Amino acid sequence: MATRGVWLLTRLPLCSQTRSPVQCPALRRLSCAGTVAAGLRREEQPSGSVETGCQDKTPTKTFYEEQDERREQAQRTVLVHCPSKISEKEFLKHLSQHGPVHSHFFYESFGLYAVVEFCQKDSVDSLLNVTQIPAMGMEAVIPFRSRFLNLKLKSPSRPVSEMSPIQPSNQLPPSNRKLSELLYSAESVDDQLSTLLKELQLTEENTRLRYLICSLIEDIATAYFPGCTIRPFGSSVNTFGKLGCDLDMFIDLHETRKLRTHKRIGNFLMEFQVKNVPSERIATQKILTVIGESLDHFGPGCVGIQKILNARCPLVRFSHQASGFQCDLTTNNRVALKSSELLYIYGSMDSRVRALVFSIRCWARAHSLTSNIPGSWITNFSLTMMVIFFLQRRSPPILPTLDTLKALADTEDKCIIEGNNCTFTRDLNKIKPSENTETLELLLKEFFEYFGNFAFNKNSINIRQVNVLGREQNKPDSSPLHIENPFETSLNISKNVNQSQLQRFVELARESAWVLHQEDAYLPSSSSKPPWGLAALLLPSVMQSTKKQKKRCGSERIKSLLESMKSGSPESSANTSRN
Ligand code: GTP
Ligand code: MG
C-alpha cells in the first residue's frame, strides 16, 4: 500500500486546439472508481476538464466497455518525470508539436510527474521518435524505450516568478486526524459513512494512473507475447478501491489463444511451434519468471521485484516508484476479473453498498482485522462478500443473490471460464431497485449485530444461493470461517482465517453494535460529546474504553440483579441478557 507520497498537483483539460475524434471521457456517467469524489469536484474544475459522475446513476457502460475505453485512453498517454519548476504552458506547447493533448494532470511522488493524454496514439509515436536515450557519464545505460519519459530543460526556463503556479491537489487519503474531524463534524451517522466514501475512494486521476501503469507493463510483456493484454482487476476496478490500495493485474493471454484457434484457412490449420511443459502451473511460472526478469532489468521505476511462484496463485510482486503503487501481477486470472465485474455491478445497484463496504473495510483496518501482510487475517475481498451477503438477507433484500442475476442473464451473458459457470446479467435495467429504505446507520448497526451473532461454527456465507426455507447453508468443512467463492464454488475464500482471528472479528462486531446502540441517546451536534458514530468505531482507543464501560455496565447490572434478588424484587432476566 505504497501510494503514500503521491500528490496530484493540477490538471487541465484539453484538446483545445482541435476537436478530438475521441469521445470525451468527461461525459462518462459512472467510471470504474472515484465517482463521488470526482463528482463533488466538478464545480471546481475548469470547463472541459475531466468529469466522472454520480454513483447513484445507473452506469451507461458495462464493466468491459469501461475497461476497454480506459485501456485505449492509457495507450494514448505518457508519463513524464518533470523538473520541479516548470512552466505548464510551455510544457503543453512543447508536447502539442506532436499533436493535440486531450488532458493532463501533475502529481508528486519522489519528484514531479505529468500524466499526459494525447488525442491520437500517433502523437505518442511522434514524441517517442524524438526522445533520446540518455547519455550517462561513467555508468552504462540499457537503451530501453518506453512511455516513461524524463523532461530535461536545455536552458533554465523563464524565472519561476513569471510562471503561473501549479496548484497542488493532494490525492492522499486524508490523515486520521483530518478524517476524525470530518466524521466528528458530520450531521449524522449516514453522513459519516458518505463522507468516508468520498474521502477515501479512488479519484479519477488515480484510476487513470492505474490503467497507465498496466499499459506500460503491457508494452514490456508484449515483446514476449504479442497481442497479450495486462488487465487490472480487484479493488482498482471493482469500485471498492481505497486510495493507496494495491494494483492487481494479470497477463491476459486469452486473446492470443483465441487468435490461434481461429486462424483456420480452408483445410489447413497453421500452428506456432511451441515448447511443451508438464502442467499449466509450470507454464504460468515460466511466463511470470520471464516478465519478472524483464521488469527487474528494464522496467523503469519497477523496484523490489519478488517472484512468488510457489503460491497457490503464482505472482510477481513489485513496487512502481513513479506511481507509488504496490503491484501484484498474475497470469490468466479471468475468474478474478469476473469477480471484479460482479462486485462492480453490486456496487452500482444501490448507493448504500459502497458506503457500507468502505466503512466495514476501514473499521476492520483500524482494528487490525485486515493487514497488508499475508496471514490468518480476514481479507477485504472476504469482508465485501460478507456485506453483500448481509444486504441480500435484509427484508426486503437490498441486493439480489447471484443465482437471481444468473436467472436474468441472456445468451450474450453466458460465460464459462475454466469449467466454472460465471454467468450473470450485466444489464442493470433488468434488476428492480430495492424497496428497502433502511438507513446506512441502521444497516451498519445491524451488520455488526448480524455477524456478532452469526453461527460461524455451522453455517457458511454464500452470495450465490437463496436460503432454503430461511435457513443458512451448512459449512462443508471445518474451517472457522467459510465464505464460498462465488464462481469456484468448491473454494473457500477465507480458508486462511483461523479461529482466533474470527473470534476477534466477532468480539469487535459485538462491541461495535453495542457502541452504536449506546449512542442512540446522543445528539451528534452536542459540543461536549466524545467521538461518536463511525468516528468512535474507527478509534481503537474508544473501543477499548467502551469495552471497559460495557464490562462495568454488565457487572453493575449483575450486581443490581443480585441485590434485587436478595431484596426480593426480581429484575427481568430479559433485561440482563439484552447487552
Ligand atoms: P484490496 O485489499 O483493496 O487490495 O482488495 P482487493 O479486492 O483488490 O483484494 P486482493 O488484492 O486481495 O485481491 C484481488 C482480487 O483477487 C479480489 O478482488 C478477488 O477478485 C480476487 N481474490 C482475492 N482473494 C481471493 C481468494 O481467496 N480466492 C479467490 N478465488 N479470489 C480471490
Ligand atoms: Mg487488491
Side-chain angles (χ1 to χ4, degrees):
M1 310 272 166
T3 3
R4 310 219 161 254
V6 179
W7 283 265
L8 287 176
L9 291 186
T10 193
R11 66 194 116 64
L12 278 187
L14 312 167
C15 257
S16 43
Q17 299 90 334
T18 57
R19 192 82 199 113
S20 152
V22 180
Q23 197 209 353
C24 179
L27 299 174
R28 181 167 299 118
R29 288 176 64 203
L30 184 125
S31 58
C32 275
T35 52
V36 175
L40 284 180
R41 286 196 314 267
R42 223 172 297 152
E43 285 168 21
E44 300 159 20
Q45 292 174 354
S47 67
S49 62
V50 176
E51 179 186 342
T52 44
C54 168
Q55 58 160 355
D56 288 337
K57 291 176 184 167
T58 305
T60 50
K61 294 194 181 90
T62 67
F63 178 73
Y64 287 105
E65 283 166 353
E66 179 78 40
Q67 286 233 327
D68 289 348
E69 192 178 294
R70 285 193 175 275
R71 194 171 156 255
E72 191 275 327
Q73 178 184 48
Q75 286 168 344
R76 290 182 279 107
T77 304
V78 292
L79 182 63
V80 188
H81 187 201
C82 300
S84 57
K85 303 289 179 204
I86 179 176
S87 158
E88 190 172 349
K89 211 168 144 193
E90 284 176 19
F91 174 60
L92 289 176
K93 198 170 148 204
H94 175 77
L95 291 175
S96 305
Q97 297 173 77
H98 303 282
V101 170
H102 191 265
S103 70
H104 80 285
F105 63 89
F106 288 98
Y107 69 92
E108 264 184 0
S109 167
F110 305 107
L112 180 66
Y113 286 85
V115 172
V116 182
E117 178 200 354
F118 284 98
C119 293
Q120 310 286 348
K121 195 164 179 297
D122 291 353
S123 306
V124 174
D125 299 333
S126 164
L127 174 62
L128 297 189
N129 282 341
V130 298
T131 301
Q132 300 177 10
I133 300 288
M136 303 291 260
M138 300 293 287
E139 292 176 334
V141 295
I142 297 173
F144 187 76
R145 288 165 54 93
S146 76
R147 284 180 286 140
F148 292 89
L149 309 174
N150 271 329
L151 178 72
K152 293 271 157 76
L153 296 178
K154 284 198 208 144
S155 59
S157 65
R158 290 184 296 138
V160 174
S161 55
E162 286 179 26
M163 296 177 194
S164 42
I166 291 173
Q167 291 298 317
S169 159
N170 191 346
Q171 283 296 295
L172 279 175
S175 64
N176 286 346
R177 194 195 160 94
K178 173 88 195 303
L179 201 55
S180 300
E181 281 169 15
L182 286 169
L183 297 182
Y184 188 87
S185 57
E187 282 173 4
S188 62
V189 175
D190 278 38
D191 191 20
Q192 288 184 322
L193 268 79
S194 307
T195 302
L196 191 80
L197 172 65
K198 280 176 218 155
E199 294 295 324
L200 297 183
Q201 68 187 342
L202 298 185
T203 58
E204 167 64 20
E205 291 85 355
N206 198 278
T207 301
R208 282 184 183 218
L209 197 51
R210 286 170 188 268
Y211 276 87
L212 177 59
I213 303 312
C214 290
S215 178
L216 298 171
I217 306 288
E218 186 177 294
D219 288 349
I220 296 177
T222 308
Y224 292 96
F225 305 103
C228 76
T229 308
I230 301 284
R231 296 191 187 280
F233 68 100
S235 58
S236 297
V237 299
N238 64 17
T239 72
F240 295 104
K242 202 170 106 193
L243 283 169
C245 69
D246 66 356
L247 170 55
D248 303 292
M249 50 187 150
F250 75 95
I251 310 172
D252 188 358
L253 300 166
H254 183 78
E255 293 300 320
T256 328
R257 289 182 184 174
K258 215 165 66 183
L259 266 183
R260 213 172 54 190
T261 51
H262 286 93
K263 285 278 176 208
R264 190 189 283 266
I265 299 164
N267 199 26
F268 295 101
L269 172 67
M270 203 65 90
E271 284 186 341
F272 289 108
Q273 292 192 9
V274 292
K275 290 216 168 184
N276 292 340
V277 287
S279 69
E280 195 70 38
R281 183 174 170 83
I282 294 174
T284 295
Q285 289 168 334
K286 286 190 182 285
I287 292 166
L288 286 176
T289 300
V290 77
I291 305 287
E293 291 286 311
S294 305
L295 292 176
D296 200 7
H297 294 311
F298 313 127
C302 299
V303 296
I305 281 99
Q306 288 172 270
K307 285 174 258 160
I308 308 170
L309 302 176
N310 289 324
R312 187 183 70 81
C313 182
L315 74 147
V316 173
R317 176 166 289 169
F318 60 96
S319 296
H320 186 260
Q321 273 183 329
S323 59
F325 296 143
Q326 174 75 43
C327 304
D328 276 354
L329 175 67
T330 49
T331 64
N332 278 347
N333 218 339
R334 294 184 73 85
V335 178
L337 187 65
K338 207 67 193 161
S339 301
S340 304
E341 184 186 8
L342 181 67
L343 295 193
Y344 173 91
I345 286 178
Y346 273 128
S348 314
M349 276 180 204
D350 189 292
S351 62
R352 290 167 289 186
V353 181
R354 292 177 67 230
L356 198 59
V357 169
F358 267 69
S359 303
I360 299 298
R361 283 185 173 207
C362 285
W363 165 83
R365 190 75 191 90
H367 297 283
S368 306
L369 286 170
T370 53
S371 166
N372 295 343
I373 310 159
S376 52
W377 295 274
I378 294 180
T379 63
N380 279 329
F381 183 51
S382 296
L383 286 172
T384 308
M385 289 295 160
M386 289 168 101
V387 175
I388 292 172
F389 179 81
F390 163 73
L391 294 176
Q392 289 172 336
R393 273 142 188 82
R394 300 308 296 161
S395 178
I398 293 179
L399 291 176
T401 62
L402 182 50
D403 271 348
T404 309
L405 297 182
K406 188 177 162 200
L408 292 171
D410 53 34
T411 44
E412 278 175 21
D413 298 316
K414 192 166 180 210
C415 175
I416 311 283
I417 302 172
E418 291 151 21
N420 301 299
N421 194 333
C422 305
T423 304
F424 54 85
T425 183
R426 288 168 293 172
D427 182 357
L428 284 178
N429 296 319
K430 286 189 185 170
I431 302 154
K432 275 215 316 235
S434 169
E435 284 169 9
N436 183 307
T437 55
E438 286 168 318
T439 62
L440 280 170
E441 178 178 0
L442 180 74
L443 291 171
L444 186 67
K445 221 181 272 178
E446 295 280 314
F447 174 89
F448 290 130
E449 280 205 1
Y450 185 78
F451 284 113
N453 296 299
F454 190 82
F456 288 106
N457 58 335
K458 55 178 197 317
N459 293 333
S460 83
I461 291 165
N462 174 6
I463 66 160
R464 180 169 279 279
Q465 286 177 343
V466 193
N467 23 347
V468 186
L469 302 172
R471 268 183 266 126
E472 299 304 347
Q473 198 180 319
N474 286 343
K475 270 199 314 191
D477 62 32
S478 59
S479 324
L481 175 62
H482 191 276
I483 305 179
E484 190 176 294
N485 185 318
F487 299 122
E488 295 164 287
T489 50
S490 60
L491 299 180
N492 172 11
I493 64 164
S494 51
K495 204 172 166 194
N496 60 315
V497 178
N498 63 22
Q499 189 59 45
S500 77
Q501 283 302 321
L502 177 65
Q503 197 52 39
R504 283 194 62 229
F505 172 87
V506 170
E507 276 167 19
L508 275 160
R510 289 180 184 172
E511 298 296 332
S512 300
W514 191 81
V515 168
L516 289 174
H517 275 291
Q518 292 304 105
E519 289 205 342
D520 281 348
Y522 282 118
L523 277 176
S525 53
S526 161
S527 57
S528 58
K529 218 172 126 338
W532 60 279
L534 187 58
L537 297 189
L538 298 184
L539 288 175
S541 56
V542 174
M543 294 290 286
Q544 280 301 325
S545 68
T546 50
K547 200 170 182 171
K548 282 187 200 143
Q549 203 187 328
K550 189 181 169 189
K551 266 195 192 147
R552 211 172 42 235
C553 283
S555 51
E556 273 163 15
R557 217 169 255 145
I558 291 167
K559 224 159 72 188
S560 79
L561 177 71
L562 287 173
E563 273 164 15
S564 65
M565 282 167 75
K566 267 195 257 162
S567 65
S569 61
E571 188 182 0
S572 131
S573 61
N575 277 350
T576 44
S577 59
R578 213 185 310 153
N579 289 313

